[in-house]
């Protein structure tokens, strides 16, 4: 920069510009008193007179100054109210931003991207415990650096040097917000990058640590796939897709990511905050669990090895991951976990689509799964037949019992009728008649003989018994 355009600070000597954003310009500087290199972020001159922006800038300093964590850039100093410039002095981190790294090297292997996000999640979780939400988690605000180890600086003859340690730090809490303080932006202004913002942040709703989980999910997707999940021709389209939750799953956008990693990303990118991981720590734990599944036991070591030489790491990574995925798939198949075995085989084939051995094993797995489904269906039909047979037997017995009951009731009805015919319910009283005379009695003997020879007439009664239904 031209010397005349470089701000002049009393306590710090600005050496060179190392970054430029919408809110401030970052310089590498020298602390004149402590004689150490620092980073100085100076707010743009056209913004420093804005009371809202100035208050947010001070809020950044006060919020982050109390946060001490290896994955967060440390704040050293802040400008005074009467200073000509409004600035923030922070720890100077070597290396580069994650954005620049992706621009140079492209997407990362899924395991490396996950290892990096574990580091970012650790810093976010610590900030959340302090009541601070970052609100703008994106590659521009993540710094990556490889710190050489002692053996790397002085490698022994005949022995490969160790890659050193990876250092990942979150920076730019300039739009961070204290949960226990009223927001500085009372105008309803949307703060943050549209493609990385959670839906509730866009809608002006309650922003919580789950909002940073969403941003971390976007970060993991971009690192592993090589592009953003929510894209559009303009910011309005991007915002609409974020609000609708419309994106291509990671394993479809890049099949080598695999279904397991993609499932973790999907949960972090859930439209409703309640459906995401509750905390950044919970998200990191899910990533660690998946590392164990694929047999990568040292996420930090994987990240360091990658940063030391991305091209060389990627070259050897394919052989390692395909071998490990094949082993996991065979183990899952042995345990009858066919869906998991299929997922491992499919991801391995994404790296090597023409591998005959992998194709044969996946085909055999599909045939086994098809046979299992057929056997399950046959078993269901057989079980259904047994149930139907038992039901038919029970129904037949019930019908026979009903018929027997009807027959018994019919016989009982006939017996009752016979009893009623032998002993009628109403007894007839004899009529009183005059005593016959002697001649009549004589004539009556003959008539009586005739009367006895004539049978007494009977009366039939029909009784109807309704059948039992």
């Amino acid at each position: 920069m031209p010397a005349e355009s470089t701000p002049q600070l009393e306590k710090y000597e600005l050496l060179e510009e190392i970054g430029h954003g919408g809110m401030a310009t970052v310089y590498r500087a020298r602390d004149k008193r402590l004689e150490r290199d620092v980073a100085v972020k100076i707010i743009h001159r056209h913004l420093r007179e804005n009371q809202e922006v100035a208050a947010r800038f001070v809020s950044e300093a006060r919020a982050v100054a109390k946060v001490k964590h290896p994955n967060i850039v440390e704040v050293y100093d802040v400008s005074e109210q009467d200073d000509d410039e409004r600035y923030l002095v922070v720890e100077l981190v070597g290396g580069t931003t994650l954005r620049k790294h992706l621009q140079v090297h492209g997407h990362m292997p899924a395991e490396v991207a996950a290892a990096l996000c574990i580091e970012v999640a650790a810093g976010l979780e610590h900030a959340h415990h302090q009541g601070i939400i970052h609100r703008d988690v994106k590659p521009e605000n993540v710094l990556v650096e490889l710190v050489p180890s002692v053996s790397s600086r002085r490698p022994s003859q005949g022995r490969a040097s160790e890659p050193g340690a990876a250092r990942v730090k979150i920076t730019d809490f300039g739009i961070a917000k204290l949960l226990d303080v009223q927001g500085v932006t009372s105008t309803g202004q949307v703060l943050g990058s549209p493609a990385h913002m959670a839906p509730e942040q866009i809608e002006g709703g309650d922003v919580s640590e789950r909002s940073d989980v969403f941003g971390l999910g976007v970060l993991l997707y971009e690192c592993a796939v090589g592009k953003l999940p929510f894209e559009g021709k303009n910011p309005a389209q991007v915002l609409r897709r974020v609000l609708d939750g419309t994106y291509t799953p990671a394993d479809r956008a890049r099949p080598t990511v695999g279904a397991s990693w993609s499932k973790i990303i999907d949960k972090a990118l859930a439209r409703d905050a309640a459906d995401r991981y509750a905390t950044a720590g919970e998200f990191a734990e899910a990533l660690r669990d998946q590392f164990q599944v694929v047999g990568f036991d040292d996420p930090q070591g994987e990240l360091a090895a990658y940063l030391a030489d991305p091209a060389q790491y990627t070259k050897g990574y394919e052989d390692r991951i395909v071998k490990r995925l094949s082993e996991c798939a065979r183990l899952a198949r042995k345990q009858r976990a066919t869906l998991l075995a299929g997922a491992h085989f499919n991801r391995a084939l994404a790296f090597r689509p023409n591998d005959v051995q992998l194709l044969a094993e996946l085909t055999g797995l599909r045939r086994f799964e098809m046979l299992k489904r057929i056997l399950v269906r046959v078993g269901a039909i057989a079980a259904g037949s047994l149930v139907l047979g038992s039901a038919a037997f029970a129904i037949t017995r019930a019908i026979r019992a009903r018929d027997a009951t009807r027959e018994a009731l019919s016989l009982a009805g006939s017996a009752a009728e016979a009893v009623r015919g032998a002993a009628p319910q109403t007894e007839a009283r004899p009529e009183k008649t005059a005593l016959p005379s002697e001649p009549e009695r004589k004539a009556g003997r003959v008539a009586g003989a005739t009367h006895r020879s004539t049978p007494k007439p009977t009366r039939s009664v029909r009784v109807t018994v309704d059948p039992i239904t």
Side-chain angles (χ1 to χ4, degrees):
M1 293 183 64
E4 60 271 17
S5 65
T6 303
Q8 300 297 313
L9 303 180
E10 180 182 354
K11 297 184 292 184
Y12 303 95
E13 179 187 359
L14 304 186
L15 303 177
E16 62 176 334
E17 179 181 332
I18 57 176
H20 189 90
M23 183 176 176
T25 301
V26 185
Y27 298 89
R28 185 173 69 86
R30 185 73 176 174
D31 187 332
K32 298 177 181 179
R33 296 171 302 170
L34 300 179
E35 297 185 351
R36 64 177 177 181
D37 288 344
V38 295
V40 178
K41 182 162 61 175
I42 301 179
I43 193 171
H44 296 322
R45 292 183 179 179
H46 69 280
L47 293 175
R48 68 183 179 185
E49 301 302 328
N50 185 308
Q51 295 299 319
E52 181 181 3
V53 175
R56 192 186 331 140
F57 193 81
V58 174
S59 175
E60 171 191 2
R62 293 176 179 175
V64 184
K66 64 180 181 180
V67 178
K68 306 291 182 181
H69 192 273
N71 296 114
I72 297 178
V73 173
E74 186 175 354
V75 174
Y76 294 148
D77 192 12
V78 66
S79 59
E80 301 292 343
Q81 284 292 112
D82 55 353
D83 286 340
D84 294 335
E85 301 287 349
R86 193 171 296 277
Y87 60 85
L88 185 70
V89 182
V90 300
E91 171 189 7
L92 179 64
V93 180
T96 182
T97 66
L98 179 58
R99 170 61 65 208
K100 291 181 179 179
H101 181 90
L102 292 174
Q103 289 173 346
V104 173
H105 301 285
H107 76 280
M108 302 175 173
E111 279 71 20
V112 174
L116 183 142
C117 286
I118 288 175
E119 298 295 311
V120 177
L124 289 175
E125 183 179 27
H126 184 77
H128 293 163
H129 289 164
Q130 303 295 325
I132 304 169
I133 306 300
H134 191 287
R135 292 187 169 208
D136 199 20
V137 180
K138 59 184 180 181
E140 288 83 350
N141 292 335
V142 177
L143 304 176
V144 292
E145 179 186 16
L146 183 67
V147 181
S149 64
V150 175
S151 58
S152 295
R153 295 169 186 168
R154 298 178 181 179
S156 301
Q157 186 174 2
R159 178 183 298 179
S161 61
E162 297 177 5
R167 179 183 295 174
V168 179
K169 288 182 176 285
I170 311 168
T171 187
D172 196 3
F173 280 81
I175 55 174
K177 179 181 179 182
L178 295 177
L179 293 178
D180 56 351
V181 177
Q182 291 297 324
V184 176
T185 55
S186 58
T187 61
Q189 177 185 4
V190 174
L191 299 175
S193 304
H196 298 83
M197 293 167 59
E200 63 271 16
Q201 186 176 353
I202 294 174
E203 294 175 331
D206 293 334
V207 177
S208 68
E209 53 196 273
R210 292 177 189 254
S211 305
D212 279 350
V213 169
F214 185 92
L216 190 56
V218 175
L219 184 73
L220 177 54
Y221 186 107
E222 185 175 6
C223 289
V225 175
K227 65 178 183 178
L228 289 164
F230 306 101
E231 293 183 318
K233 296 180 180 179
N234 52 62
Q237 287 186 356
V238 174
L239 292 174
R240 173 52 52 194
R241 290 180 180 177
V242 173
L243 292 175
D244 293 341
T246 304
Y247 68 94
T248 303
D251 60 334
R252 294 184 183 179
R254 187 172 294 278
T256 53
V257 172
S260 298
W261 290 118
S262 183
K263 184 178 179 180
I264 295 175
I265 295 173
D266 289 342
K267 185 169 182 179
L269 296 181
R271 172 64 181 82
D272 295 330
D275 296 330
R276 300 176 206 145
Y277 295 100
T279 65
E282 184 179 322
F283 185 17
E285 189 62 28
L287 297 177
R288 292 191 192 94
D289 290 343
Q290 183 57 28
F291 263 100
Q292 296 296 323
V293 171
V294 296
F296 283 40
D297 301 327
D298 183 14
Q300 243 276 347
E302 297 294 332
L303 179 60
Y306 171 80
L307 292 177
D309 192 340
Q312 186 64 27
Y313 178 93
T314 304
K315 183 178 179 181
Y317 164 80
E318 180 177 318
D319 292 337
R320 293 173 56 210
I321 192 64
V322 170
K323 179 181 178 181
R324 182 55 186 163
L325 289 171
S326 300
E327 293 172 351
C328 292
R330 294 179 186 117
L331 178 60
R333 180 179 59 191
K334 185 177 181 180
Q335 297 173 345
R336 302 297 179 89
T338 53
L339 293 179
L340 180 59
H344 289 318
F345 276 133
N346 279 327
R347 188 185 176 198
L349 280 169
F351 288 97
R352 297 179 180 176
N354 298 322
D355 191 305
V356 177
Q357 178 64 27
L358 290 174
L359 286 170
E361 293 195 73
L362 182 59
T363 301
L365 184 66
R366 288 175 177 172
R367 289 176 180 173
F368 173 77
E369 181 65 18
M370 185 179 298
L371 178 60
K372 186 174 72 173
R373 291 179 181 177
I374 293 174
L375 292 176
V376 169
R377 291 178 182 177
V378 170
I381 294 173
S385 299
L386 289 175
V387 172
L388 291 175
S390 300
F393 177 72
I395 292 172
T396 302
R397 292 191 62 182
I399 293 174
R400 290 179 180 176
R402 187 191 65 178
D403 292 343
T405 303
R406 287 180 177 176
E407 184 177 356
L409 290 175
S410 177
L411 293 175
S414 300
E417 174 59 25
V419 171
R420 281 194 292 268
Q425 296 179 355
T426 304
E427 185 179 355
R429 294 181 179 180
E431 296 181 1
K432 293 182 178 180
T433 57
L435 293 174
S437 61
E438 183 64 22
E440 290 175 342
R441 283 197 298 271
K442 291 181 180 181
R445 292 188 182 98
V446 177
T450 305
H451 178 72
R452 283 192 298 269
S453 63
T454 303
K456 188 176 181 179
T458 60
R459 182 175 58 183
S460 63
V461 179
R462 175 178 296 175
V463 178
T464 303
V465 179
D466 292 331
I468 296 176
T469 58

